[in-house]
Amino acid sequence: IATAQDVGHTLRELGQRFVEKSLSGACARRRTCAAPYELPSLTREAAFTLCPRPHATRRAAYEALRDSPLLAGADGVVCSHPAALCEVWLPFNKSILLIVTANLELARENAERWKEWLQTVVAFSHAPRVVVAANNRYDQAYVEHFTGVRPLYLPTLANYITARYRPLPGKPVLLARSHHALGRKLLSDLRRASREHRGLRVSSIEEAYPGNANGGGYEYTQLASHPAIVVVPYTKSTMTFFELYRMGIPIFVPSLELLVRWELQRHVMSERVYWRHAPSPLRRPSTPNPNSLQDPTALEHWIRLSDPYVYPHVQYFDSADDLAVKLASVDLRDVSARMQRHSAEMQPVMRQKWRAVLRKLFHGRPSGSWPCGEAGGFDAALRSRFGLTLSASEPDCTRNSAPDLGQWN
């Protein structure tokens, strides 16, 4: 839902009308859930994998939606999480913006479906009125690794965030929620090290703001009142990073060398690799395996593409003692000012990029759905625009890994 919130905000700033109809389990938080009559045949459970009969589900969705008011009033579709859900929208003759924000194989974790999805992404890249993008450098390179297609880099702007860095006296440095025991150990070690620095106080975000998605928690203005935040990355890109950066809160993360060492020793980035054995059926990549957990060269290559090592003015530490020294000595207001200046400089560049996206999606092409009376419309649409056909038999729905269900293989 966060990607849709960001994209919607950006498109509205550019004068577009954006309608959000989500099947996410978190859509109730923003009241953007699709009603059953709006996306018939696409339930929250079925839409993620389209199983147990993916091809039949895609055909059923086409028949159910081809005459729907929702689709008739739309010129384009934005799809993101999982990226493979874009398969549903291929036959509707709509402009399609695919924004990859998580590992490309999500919800397609077996050899047959993975290959089919990779072939679809390649076909996407050659089709009219389609843009393949990624909101982070890691996923941009990840898609290219498996497909040879280099997505457009469209980083999240988080312009919906209006809070700005306003540190208040007495507020502690925050440690962001950690998904690994190393993060909790860092908090303990940092508290010990902070005793050497008068006035340096540290708190976990859970201690400062108890709560979860169902209630409690923090407001953005509350986060912006803290002097800095320490983040131990659990994956390569998160919306939280973009939001913190937009607010201008100084961000401290492990140095690349330290994080690579932690990943080798303890797999601290526990949600970076979705499917360790994902094959590369379309090409022989020149880049190292992104899903390796034990190759130091591969780890350094890929972790370097994570958000904290791409954005400027992020602060790095090599140990808890080093972190305490830097938190006590770095000019945090100056760091924040430089972060906010970078965010401001990104705005005109990204507006130009988004205008170019809109030109590619709509310029010179009529809007509207595939003609309803066309015999065999579904298959004709796939062939004529994308050069794709569905096999007569249903693909295997086995998932060799299922991160959304807590199964990381």
Side-chain angles (χ1 to χ4, degrees):
I1 60 171
T3 299
Q5 182 179 13
D6 179 71
V7 171
H9 190 281
T10 300
L11 289 175
R12 292 183 186 108
E13 285 184 327
L14 295 173
Q16 304 297 308
R17 180 170 172 262
F18 183 79
V19 178
E20 187 176 349
K21 298 297 179 182
S22 176
L23 294 169
S24 165
C27 60
R29 277 186 271 166
R30 295 191 52 244
R31 300 180 182 179
T32 57
C33 300
Y37 69 87
E38 291 174 315
L39 294 176
S41 81
L42 290 177
T43 64
R44 182 174 301 161
E45 294 74 21
F48 203 78
T49 62
L50 305 178
C51 288
R53 301 180 65 233
H55 292 175
T57 299
R58 289 172 63 180
R59 292 179 185 278
Y62 172 73
E63 294 301 331
L65 290 166
R66 62 190 303 193
D67 296 323
S68 76
L70 182 64
L71 267 289
D75 293 329
V77 175
V78 178
C79 43
S80 176
H81 190 86
L85 183 54
C86 249
E87 290 179 320
V88 168
W89 308 110
L90 269 59
F92 290 100
N93 198 29
K94 302 294 183 182
S95 299
I96 299 175
L97 173 57
L98 166 60
I99 304 181
V100 181
T101 63
N103 292 26
L104 190 64
E105 70 270 22
L106 182 60
R108 301 293 182 270
E109 300 95 348
N110 70 52
E112 180 184 9
R113 298 199 73 196
W114 176 224
K115 182 177 181 180
E116 183 180 277
W117 170 227
L118 292 175
Q119 291 169 331
T120 298
V121 173
V122 174
F124 261 34
S125 69
H126 301 304
R129 294 181 294 131
V130 173
V131 172
V132 179
N135 80 330
N136 64 87
R137 290 295 191 188
Y138 189 112
D139 281 313
Q140 181 190 39
Y142 193 90
V143 173
E144 185 176 24
H145 177 89
F146 285 105
T147 67
V149 174
R150 188 163 181 82
L152 176 68
Y153 178 48
L154 281 179
T156 296
L157 291 174
N159 282 348
Y160 55 88
I161 301 289
T162 58
R164 293 295 179 267
Y165 185 58
R166 296 288 185 275
L168 297 177
K171 289 282 188 177
V173 171
L174 292 176
L175 180 73
R177 285 188 176 89
S178 177
H179 293 218
H180 195 279
L182 272 175
R184 296 183 285 277
K185 184 177 185 302
L186 176 64
L187 176 62
S188 175
D189 291 346
L190 180 58
R191 280 180 166 150
R192 172 191 50 75
S194 68
R195 295 175 192 146
E196 303 297 321
H197 304 276
R198 186 176 179 181
L200 178 57
R201 295 178 56 233
V202 183
S203 172
S204 72
I205 204 165
E206 295 95 330
E207 292 168 337
Y209 301 104
N212 53 40
N214 298 318
Y218 53 79
E219 301 290 337
Y220 293 122
T221 52
Q222 292 175 307
L223 288 187
S225 70
H226 290 265
I229 189 163
V230 180
V231 177
V232 178
Y234 64 89
T235 189
K236 77 283 185 176
S237 181
T238 66
M239 292 300 292
T240 299
F241 175 85
F242 296 119
E243 293 171 343
L244 293 171
Y245 201 98
R246 188 73 179 102
M247 287 185 276
I249 304 173
I251 302 170
F252 287 74
V253 301
S255 65
L256 180 62
E257 181 182 358
L258 179 59
L259 191 60
V260 167
R261 185 163 70 247
W262 280 355
E263 181 70 347
L264 275 169
Q265 295 173 350
R266 301 285 298 277
H267 187 32
V268 68
M269 299 181 76
S270 57
E271 297 181 24
R272 178 182 67 91
V273 175
Y274 283 18
W275 182 21
R276 280 184 295 161
H277 305 294
S280 182
L282 303 191
R283 63 194 301 265
R284 184 174 296 173
S286 59
T287 44
N289 178 12
N291 296 318
S292 171
L293 298 179
Q294 294 299 322
D295 180 352
T297 301
L299 288 176
E300 182 173 347
H301 175 91
W302 287 98
I303 293 175
R304 186 185 298 276
L305 298 173
S306 302
D307 293 332
Y309 308 100
V310 170
Y311 272 58
H313 314 307
V314 175
Q315 306 299 299
Y316 306 114
F317 61 88
D318 293 310
S319 66
D321 289 331
D322 182 47
L323 175 57
V325 169
K326 289 178 175 175
L327 286 170
S329 62
V330 168
D331 185 339
L332 297 176
R333 289 183 181 274
D334 177 67
V335 170
S336 176
R338 285 185 280 135
M339 292 170 68
Q340 294 188 59
R341 189 157 54 246
H342 176 72
S343 291
E345 290 168 352
M346 282 180 65
Q347 297 300 313
V349 175
M350 292 308 302
R351 279 195 292 271
Q352 288 286 76
K353 271 194 171 186
W354 274 98
R355 290 190 182 103
V357 167
L358 293 173
R359 284 195 297 271
K360 184 170 183 181
L361 289 176
F362 300 120
H363 181 65
R365 295 284 181 174
S367 60
S369 299
W370 192 263
C372 297
E374 180 97 9
F378 179 92
D379 295 291
L382 288 185
R383 283 195 305 269
S384 63
R385 188 174 176 193
F386 299 101
L388 296 171
T389 57
L390 293 188
S391 62
S393 60
E394 291 286 348
D396 181 11
C397 269
T398 300
R399 297 185 70 187
N400 294 321
S401 188
D404 51 297
L405 302 177
Q407 301 168 16
W408 305 78
N409 300 317

